[in-house]
Amino acid sequence: MKIRIVTLGCKLNFAESSALMNTLVSKGHQRAKQGEQADVVIVNTCTVTDTADHKDRQAIHRLKRENPNAKIIVTGCYAHLKPQEIAAMVEVDHVLPKRDDIFQPAYSRDDRTRCFLKVQDGCNYFCTYCTIPFARGRSRNPYIKDIVAQAQQALADGAKEIILTGVNIGDFGRSTGESFIDLLRALDNLQPTAYYLLPTYRIRISSCEPNLLTDEIIDFVAHSKHFAPHFHIPLQSGNNEVLKIMHRHYTRELFQERIEHIKAVMPHAFIGVDCMVGVRGETQERFEDYVQFISALPVSQLHVFTYSERANTRMLEMDLYVVPQRERERRSKVLHTISEQKLADFYAQHKGKKVTVLWESKKDGNKMYGFSENYIKVAGPYDKSKINTFEQIVLS
């Protein structure tokens, strides 16, 4: 059969979709080409917000119009959380909820340059606004030796950059008795360490909770051979009262300590921060305190999410101030503006610096693009021979 997989949501979903397609191809099926009618369309969904649910439904409607004779199969987090809601859609033929009691290995091989490697799944935190533990199950992971084998295969397939993905990757080891730092050490030694002027591969750590991103991990990354000076850390709120309401596992003081430690040992590190606005209990005073805190932090970019009410979450049971929708949108714009300025400042600070760029295959006219080790996007004249290679350049 000719099969098309459409993925919505996070990098973890993309890794799982890639693994699913590779399995189907190994069974004799074919990828539907661009514009070609598919026999089966699989939609891998996200359910992190109400907006995500809406996008899932829109995608299902569109894909049925584009592939009127195809069977539509829906899987992913939305399918696990609200299977009956999806099954009621006339376009849907089958709903396949996730298995949340096992770890299903996955890594993305669709892009030769970059590989998203799943190292962990699920979450035990149950923050009051979040449905992910219900959609993904409890925290679990494979053994380090199995992840190392997958990473070696990714490099053998031609990948030059591996991105470690999961729901709560800092919680790695809960189901095997190992530790996240042990995983990092193992992955830093996939190949001979001597790489002269240019690396043979590099690794990025995706989102890691601040209470799990220890000083030991930060120091390891700073002195490692292959880990990029790039961190993605969820803050969610810069006000301690709101963090308590959210049932987050840290204070803003601990978060600030983590940022300051990173900058002390890696001044050039890129730090992306997840920020949420508009949650219940976020009064105007608390939001202003949040803005003041995040504005003063030496971070590189904010990833801003607007709160939406999710059924069966504890936040709905709390008697708290409800932020009007328009005010939520205004607060989102405030943080987006701060983020734009921080990113511009970070780029400006690195003009004239020497970096190592990994060139990607995407072509835009006569230009090609790549990212430095500290996640600065770089453009250069298109040269096919540079695709999937490292090059040292000076930023201008």
Side-chain angles (χ1 to χ4, degrees):
M1 294 184 294
K2 293 179 179 178
I3 297 175
R4 181 179 179 189
I5 299 181
V6 175
T7 308
L8 298 102
C10 65
K11 294 171 183 176
L12 184 54
N13 272 9
F14 280 91
E16 290 171 339
S17 290
S18 180
L20 176 58
M21 180 60 85
N22 291 330
T23 299
L24 292 169
V25 170
S26 73
K27 301 293 184 182
H29 302 292
Q30 302 173 32
R31 298 172 187 265
K33 297 177 182 177
Q34 187 69 30
E36 185 178 28
Q37 290 285 305
D39 300 308
V40 175
V41 175
I42 300 171
V43 188
N44 191 358
T45 58
C46 174
T47 190
V48 69
T49 62
D50 279 340
T51 300
D53 290 355
H54 178 66
K55 289 180 178 178
D56 292 335
R57 294 190 295 270
Q58 282 185 319
I60 293 166
H61 294 319
R62 174 178 55 80
L63 290 164
K64 187 61 176 180
R65 289 196 303 270
E66 295 172 355
N67 302 268
N69 299 317
K71 294 288 186 182
I72 305 294
I73 301 174
V74 182
T75 188
C77 292
Y78 186 29
H80 189 86
L81 202 63
K82 300 178 180 177
Q84 294 178 333
E85 186 173 299
I86 299 173
M89 297 178 66
V90 296
E91 296 91 347
V92 175
D93 295 285
H94 301 285
V95 180
L96 297 178
K98 288 179 177 290
R99 287 285 304 276
D100 60 10
D101 56 343
I102 61 172
F103 182 87
Q104 296 174 310
Y107 75 91
S108 164
R109 292 186 293 185
D110 294 336
D111 186 328
R112 241 179 91 244
T113 297
R114 184 179 299 166
C115 164
F116 296 101
L117 176 60
K118 177 181 175 182
V119 302
Q120 184 272 343
D121 202 350
C123 185
N124 289 14
Y125 278 9
F126 290 91
C127 298
T128 58
Y129 56 87
C130 184
T131 60
I132 295 303
F134 306 114
R136 285 263 175 192
R138 294 300 182 101
S139 181
R140 58 203 185 277
N141 58 270
Y143 284 97
I144 290 175
K145 63 180 178 62
D146 297 322
I147 296 174
V148 167
Q150 280 195 305
Q152 291 280 186
Q153 185 60 53
L155 297 184
D157 290 343
K160 293 292 182 69
E161 181 170 293
I162 296 173
I163 301 168
L164 307 183
T165 64
V167 176
N168 187 359
I169 65 172
D171 201 33
F172 179 90
R174 184 175 289 272
S175 55
T176 59
E178 299 169 312
S179 70
F180 190 46
I181 187 69
D182 287 339
L183 173 65
L184 302 187
R185 291 190 180 112
L187 292 174
D188 201 37
N189 290 289
L190 295 178
Q191 294 180 207
T193 58
Y195 54 78
Y196 304 102
L197 293 177
L198 297 174
T200 49
Y201 70 94
R202 68 185 178 202
I203 302 177
R204 297 188 192 275
I205 300 172
S206 66
S207 181
C208 186
E209 294 285 312
N211 54 300
L212 300 174
L213 184 65
T214 62
D215 287 346
E216 182 183 23
I217 291 172
I218 294 168
D219 290 337
F220 169 79
V221 171
H223 299 99
S224 68
K225 298 177 289 289
H226 296 287
F227 278 82
H230 177 190
F231 296 87
H232 189 122
I233 315 173
L235 171 63
Q236 307 306 13
S237 177
N239 175 270
N240 278 336
E241 286 78 13
V242 175
L243 286 173
K244 288 179 183 177
I245 291 168
M246 292 172 140
H247 193 230
R248 301 295 286 164
H249 290 238
Y250 52 87
T251 63
R252 74 179 196 177
E253 287 76 18
L254 183 143
F255 188 91
Q256 183 172 346
E257 287 174 10
R258 296 292 187 263
I259 300 301
E260 290 174 348
H261 190 94
I262 290 170
K263 284 299 185 179
V265 296
M266 288 172 280
H268 60 303
F270 183 100
I271 305 176
V273 178
D274 285 342
C275 295
M276 186 173 288
V277 296
V279 299
R280 296 192 172 197
E282 187 186 73
T283 62
Q284 183 62 34
E285 182 182 18
R286 288 170 176 170
F287 177 68
E288 290 172 0
D289 181 51
Y290 177 6
V291 169
Q292 184 178 18
F293 176 73
I294 196 65
S295 297
L297 283 181
V299 299
S300 314
Q301 188 176 31
L302 310 182
H303 302 268
V304 185
F305 301 87
T306 303
Y307 171 72
S308 61
E309 284 77 5
R310 309 296 287 153
N312 302 316
T313 55
R314 283 182 292 158
M315 188 166 279
L316 299 186
E317 301 170 1
M318 299 177 178
D319 184 17
L320 298 167
Y321 167 70
V322 178
V323 183
Q325 188 60 40
R326 281 194 175 183
E327 176 61 14
R328 297 181 200 183
E329 294 167 3
R330 186 194 72 81
R331 294 180 185 185
S332 175
K333 290 178 182 177
V334 169
L335 290 197
H336 273 103
T337 299
I338 294 171
S339 177
E340 290 167 4
Q341 186 60 57
K342 285 187 176 295
L343 186 61
D345 291 345
F346 183 78
Y347 273 43
Q349 290 163 12
H350 287 83
K351 283 186 178 180
K353 303 287 186 182
K354 184 182 289 185
V355 297
T356 301
V357 175
L358 177 58
W359 294 107
E360 300 181 349
S361 59
K362 182 181 177 182
K363 183 180 181 181
D364 183 8
N366 63 348
K367 290 184 178 181
M368 66 191 307
Y369 298 92
F371 283 91
S372 68
E373 60 271 39
N374 58 341
Y375 208 58
I376 294 175
K377 188 173 183 179
V378 176
Y382 183 79
D383 181 346
K384 188 176 181 179
S385 68
K386 289 185 177 181
I387 294 173
N388 201 33
T389 67
F390 291 103
E391 181 183 14
Q392 280 193 339
I393 67 166
V394 175
L395 296 171
S396 58

